[in-house]
């Protein structure tokens, strides 16, 4: 295993330390229990809190800041954060208007966020993100997995919260964005979890895993490598079958790299997917291309489509100032 | 070779097409001769033009926009752009105040930009970037290579040009930033050029290439993998030996990923490098962490330090709106 690390036990702490040191005006870290929060805490809005295993950066810590999250709780690599982190983070960012948890659908995350939720005296709600159409059940999941569509949920709910939406409105909006969003990914290589020191799964030199999860979980099928346009057809086919958008609808198209695929290829994927959406009579009016929901060093990418309304488009366009998204 | 491509001959065109489609309000592309320019051309400033082989994205096309470049000329992967591209781009963006070329020091790039320069009737100047302290001569280079410090040159000169600096002032500033900037990188894996279809160089499962170039050129030495802090010591040692900054100086620290290394590791590197700079009595007051000057899918990273003045800091902080940098 070749990684930039010093000690397996300090990977997360050193990485978070570097992130905060690189963005001192934006975020701060607290350790034990560990969470990232805004350097300038908000004072009168619904607090948005997310979290999950590390190794998916910039998700979620890179999305803490004005217009998006108030705090993020990182677990160890591919390991759920614990309820004490969530309680400490929630207590730190609560302004009295309630706390919304945004949780990707994995059994461990869900259990720990539910436990925190039950222990909290705060007004609390949870949006469960399950945008991955690849499989109905997976290694760590009952029901569909939450993957790159989480960015859309956190951005849009983040904008609404910043604009003064109530906890109930934020919760309903989060569910709405999740319903309007579908994703599917493909892996070319495995990722390598530092503590394991070896590839999570084996894959041949000409094989791809269609529908892979963001921890290297199996997808729908193993195939031979094929042209990008055909991969896009398969991924978008599954996504559109799920979303069933009407012709003429405006959509947001997100091409998400898993960490080991260069930008040149991500933009080529965007080119194919954008043309394909137009051929389906859809209108991709908003875009996001880059490494946002990663799986450590895995080569591969996912496509995410969100069917827009005027409201969702306006929430997407609202100002955001985080380490990973800024406009 | 597993890559998201359709046809070797159309990789660059499809990738640029995707990039422009993802940022329609920001950039536009012209093909044959090929260049990327601002969607809203500037009307009364020195025009900044850069370019080089593809495969280093977001450099340079991702830096076209307000506060940075006016145009970028991409060659095929790891291949210099041609003078006809530079002439067409320069003619397109010239506002009558002159055109500055920003060129990374590679023999092919330099020759073609010089040829374009000689063919132009426009008032023209060139800043040659050679920030890589690893080696004095390299595979494609006489003198030091131009690498990730190019981002600092393009950002700072971009800000000055936007503020009305003359061509001579932009040229002098570019040389000054280049002088104040030094970089060195390390590779864990090779990159794979699509047209070659195989790794550019062989490297063992426990080996790293210290001082690697951004096309996979050899560096100073092959070593066994070692802790991140020791790698940082070696890289920063060479950088500071070159820059010889006085204690107490403010610096910008850029951790640049080569394309295959996840953000978690880049921030861990930043953590180590930032602490090391402070131990040297330096004050890292500005930062940039991410994949900016890449080498396709190579795993590895480089460190860049720019010794700041109040003027350079202010130029770094000036607004920028490009696909890859925005504040």
């Amino acid at each position: 295993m070749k990684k930039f690390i010093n000690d397996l036990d300090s990977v997360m702490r050193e990485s978070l330390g570097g992130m905060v040191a690189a963005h001192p005006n934006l975020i701060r870290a607290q350790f034990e229990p560990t969470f990232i929060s805004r350097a300038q805490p908000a004072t009168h809005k619904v607090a948005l809190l997310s979290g999950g295993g590390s190794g998916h950066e910039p998700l979620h810590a890179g999305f803490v800041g004005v217009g998006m999250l108030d705090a993020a709780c990182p677990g160890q690599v591919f390991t759920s954060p614990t309820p004490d982190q969530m309680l400490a983070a929630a207590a730190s960012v609560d302004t009295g208007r309630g706390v919304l948890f945004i949780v990707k659908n994995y059994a461990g995350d869900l259990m720990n966020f539910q436990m925190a939720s039950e222990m909290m005296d705060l007004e609390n709600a949870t949006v469960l993100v399950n945008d991955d159409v690849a499989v109905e059940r997976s290694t760590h999941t009952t029901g569909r997995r939450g993957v790159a569509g989480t960015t859309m949920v956190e951005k849009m709910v983040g904008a609404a919260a910043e604009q003064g939406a109530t906890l109930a409105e934020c919760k309903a909006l989060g569910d709405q964005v999740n319903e309007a969003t579908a994703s599917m990914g493909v892996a070319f290589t495995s990722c390598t979890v530092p503590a394991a020191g070896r590839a999570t799964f084996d894959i041949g030199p000409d094989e791809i895993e269609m529908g892979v999860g963001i921890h290297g979980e199996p997808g729908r099928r193993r195939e031979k490598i094929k042209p990008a346009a055909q991969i896009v057809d398969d991924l978008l086919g599954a996504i559109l079958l799920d979303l069933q958008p009407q012709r003429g609808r405006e959509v947001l198209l997100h091409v998400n790299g898993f960490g080991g695929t260069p930008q040149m290829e991500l933009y080529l994927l965007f080119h194919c997917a954008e043309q394909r959406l137009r051929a389906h009579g859809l209108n991709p009016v908003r875009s996001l291309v880059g490494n946002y929901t990663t799986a450590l060093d895995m080569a591969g990418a996912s496509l995410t489509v969100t069917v827009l309304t005027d409201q969702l488009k306006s929430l997407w366009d609202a100002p955001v100032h985080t380490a990973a998204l800024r406009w």
Side-chain angles (χ1 to χ4, degrees), chain A:
Chain A
M1 177 180 65
K2 288 193 274 192
K3 288 184 184 291
F4 291 107
I5 58 174
N6 291 307
D7 183 323
L8 283 176
D9 292 336
S10 63
V11 168
M12 189 177 85
R13 188 174 185 127
E14 289 183 73
S15 182
L16 289 176
M19 189 176 189
V20 169
H23 305 285
N25 301 324
L26 201 55
I27 50 174
R28 61 186 183 189
Q30 183 178 306
F31 293 100
E32 293 169 31
T34 300
F35 64 90
I36 301 290
S37 58
R38 299 187 188 185
Q40 283 85 38
T43 54
H44 48 274
K45 61 180 278 296
V46 171
L48 302 189
L49 200 160
S50 191
S54 293
H56 305 301
E57 292 73 22
L59 185 83
H60 299 271
F63 296 150
V64 172
V66 173
M68 231 164 148
L69 299 178
D70 293 276
C73 299
Q76 296 293 330
V77 172
F78 292 177
T79 303
S80 298
T82 50
D84 63 315
Q85 294 176 254
M86 299 155 193
L87 290 172
S92 166
V93 298
D94 178 45
T95 70
R97 294 204 56 204
V99 179
L100 183 71
F101 289 166
I102 300 176
V103 183
K104 302 192 299 301
N105 188 31
Y106 297 98
D109 289 4
L110 188 58
M111 184 180 71
N112 287 355
F113 272 103
Q114 276 178 339
M115 204 177 301
S117 197
E118 284 160 17
M119 292 164 76
M120 279 169 66
D121 286 331
L122 307 171
E123 193 185 357
N124 166 260
T126 298
V127 171
L128 195 64
V129 182
N130 63 351
D131 55 311
D132 189 344
V133 302
V135 291
E136 280 301 318
R137 288 179 69 91
S138 179
T139 316
H140 313 291
T141 315
T142 302
R144 296 174 9 167
R145 303 175 294 219
V147 292
T150 311
T151 302
M152 283 69 236
V153 175
E154 295 183 356
K155 171 66 185 80
M156 291 173 182
V157 178
E162 213 72 51
Q163 292 164 12
T166 65
L167 182 60
E169 288 165 344
C170 288
K171 156 71 177 157
L173 175 69
D175 290 342
Q176 179 194 344
V177 177
N178 181 55
E179 278 293 309
T181 299
S183 304
M184 188 163 149
V186 58
F188 287 175
T189 68
S190 174
C191 46
T192 299
V193 175
R198 55 181 170 68
T200 301
F201 62 94
D202 293 321
I203 186 163
D206 61 349
E207 287 181 327
I208 63 177
E209 179 72 25
M210 288 295 290
V212 71
I214 58 172
H215 312 90
E217 305 97 311
R220 289 188 176 186
R221 59 185 178 272
R222 191 63 63 93
E223 292 186 33
K224 297 291 180 192
I225 180 78
K226 56 189 183 182
Q230 290 179 30
I231 294 173
V232 163
D233 277 354
D234 286 359
L235 299 178
L236 272 188
I239 288 168
L240 297 181
L241 186 67
D242 180 75
L243 290 175
Q244 303 275 346
Q246 289 176 299
R247 289 180 70 86
R249 288 298 294 267
E250 293 186 329
V251 300
L252 184 159
L253 171 59
H254 174 30
V255 174
N256 173 60
F258 284 142
T261 284
Q263 197 183 79
M264 175 175 235
E265 295 176 49
L266 299 182
Y267 276 123
L268 191 148
L269 274 183
F270 185 86
H271 166 79
C272 298
E274 201 251 3
Q275 291 199 329
R276 188 76 185 150
L277 286 174
R278 291 195 190 284
H280 278 277
L282 297 167
N283 188 11
V285 293
R286 293 294 182 274
S287 63
L288 185 68
V289 182
N291 296 324
Y292 292 96
T293 301
T294 59
L296 294 167
D297 52 351
M298 190 158 81
S302 61
L303 302 182
T304 297
V305 173
T306 299
V307 182
L308 294 171
T309 61
D310 287 347
Q311 183 207 12
L312 296 189
K313 192 165 61 169
S314 153
L315 292 169
W316 180 256
D317 289 343
V320 60
H321 186 173
T322 67
L325 281 189
R326 183 166 177 182
W327 55 74

